[in-house]
Amino acid sequence: MLTDAPPRKANRAGFLESDQTGTLDLPQYASLLTITKSIESAMRRGRSKDVRRTCAEFLDAASEFYKVPACGFRVLAARPLRVRERWATELFGDYTPETMLIRVWMRTAVRKEVTSFGTFLSTLCHEFCHHLDYQKFGFHDSWHTRGFYERAAVLYHHARGTPPKKLFWVPTVGGRWRIDWPRTNRSGRTNAASV
Ligand SMILES: [Zn+2]
């Protein structure tokens, strides 16, 4: 995961606010976890209609909790030719702010393999966090900042019922950051061992 470069002038304040907001309120009840278990079993059984229905349920429940308008949702069989995401490395979904539509696809572009449940759910949370950026935080753009990835991870681990992982970052060129996976994974293991 690599962050976007900071904008030069306009929206710089919004970018910094996004970068520094690394947490997200979470529902106290386990309703999202119940729904994601249904998504997982629908995927395992290869029932695309059920995948669609349970994902829509997930997004409706999350929108209700965060008090944002419900977003539209489509599951596509394969990656479309044109996508909006600038998220180059793990491209399994996109979000259109004007229409508040999330699209995720079940197959990877290159090898046509079915996306794993973890990747699929992570994509759903990622795209929903774009929706939150516009509708809850009121940002003018939805940048991939460190805070953005942290918020998406907080939502993902809550929805999957797994312990949250602290993300460690290393600076790269142009004011961008990438995740230090060895350090992040080491710290995740320590957390898990101490629970
Ligand atoms: Zn994105």
Side-chain angles (χ1 to χ4, degrees):
M1 279 184 239
L2 185 66
T3 64
D4 293 332
R8 289 197 190 276
K9 277 193 221 107
N11 296 327
R12 189 135 197 159
F15 183 93
L16 289 177
E17 193 186 335
S18 167
D19 193 50
Q20 285 158 17
T21 308
T23 56
L24 203 56
D25 292 338
L26 292 169
Q28 293 302 304
Y29 42 89
S31 63
L32 291 183
L33 182 60
T34 311
I35 302 172
T36 52
K37 286 197 185 307
S38 318
I39 300 175
E40 186 172 16
S41 74
M43 280 183 79
R44 199 178 304 127
R45 283 176 289 127
R47 297 261 185 93
S48 51
K49 206 171 145 192
D50 291 346
V51 173
R52 203 159 50 234
R53 182 180 50 78
T54 48
C55 285
E57 243 173 70
F58 176 87
L59 294 170
D60 284 349
S63 296
E64 200 181 311
F65 174 74
Y66 290 107
K67 299 185 171 56
V68 292
C71 49
F73 175 68
R74 294 225 177 102
V75 181
L76 308 177
R79 180 178 184 263
L81 285 176
R82 304 184 69 175
V83 294
R84 293 187 61 102
E85 275 280 12
R86 298 156 290 172
W87 189 35
T89 48
E90 295 173 69
L91 202 46
F92 299 108
D94 69 359
Y95 174 75
T96 309
E98 295 81 12
T99 54
M100 299 195 294
L101 177 70
I102 289 177
R103 302 187 303 177
V104 290
W105 35 95
M106 302 284 290
R107 283 171 202 280
T108 58
V110 182
R111 285 188 287 171
K112 305 279 179 208
E113 284 170 354
V114 175
T115 312
S116 72
F117 168 69
T119 303
F120 188 83
L121 181 62
S122 158
T123 304
L124 200 61
C125 293
H126 177 111
E127 303 307 338
F128 183 74
C129 282
H130 283 310
H131 183 55
L132 287 184
D133 271 8
Y134 291 102
Q135 299 299 327
K136 176 179 162 62
F137 296 108
F139 296 141
H140 293 294
D141 200 344
S142 181
W143 308 271
H144 298 103
T145 60
R146 286 176 296 178
F148 177 86
Y149 285 119
E150 285 162 8
R151 295 192 293 279
V154 163
L155 181 61
Y156 169 81
H157 285 294
H158 174 78
R160 210 174 173 186
T162 45
K165 214 185 242 186
K166 179 173 169 41
L167 302 180
F168 289 91
W169 298 92
V170 275
T172 65
V173 288
R176 304 172 84 187
W177 298 81
R178 67 169 171 78
I179 288 190
D180 180 343
W181 279 115
R183 195 164 171 215
T184 296
N185 289 334
R186 264 202 311 277
S187 134
R189 272 201 299 278
T190 316
N191 285 346
S194 63
V195 167

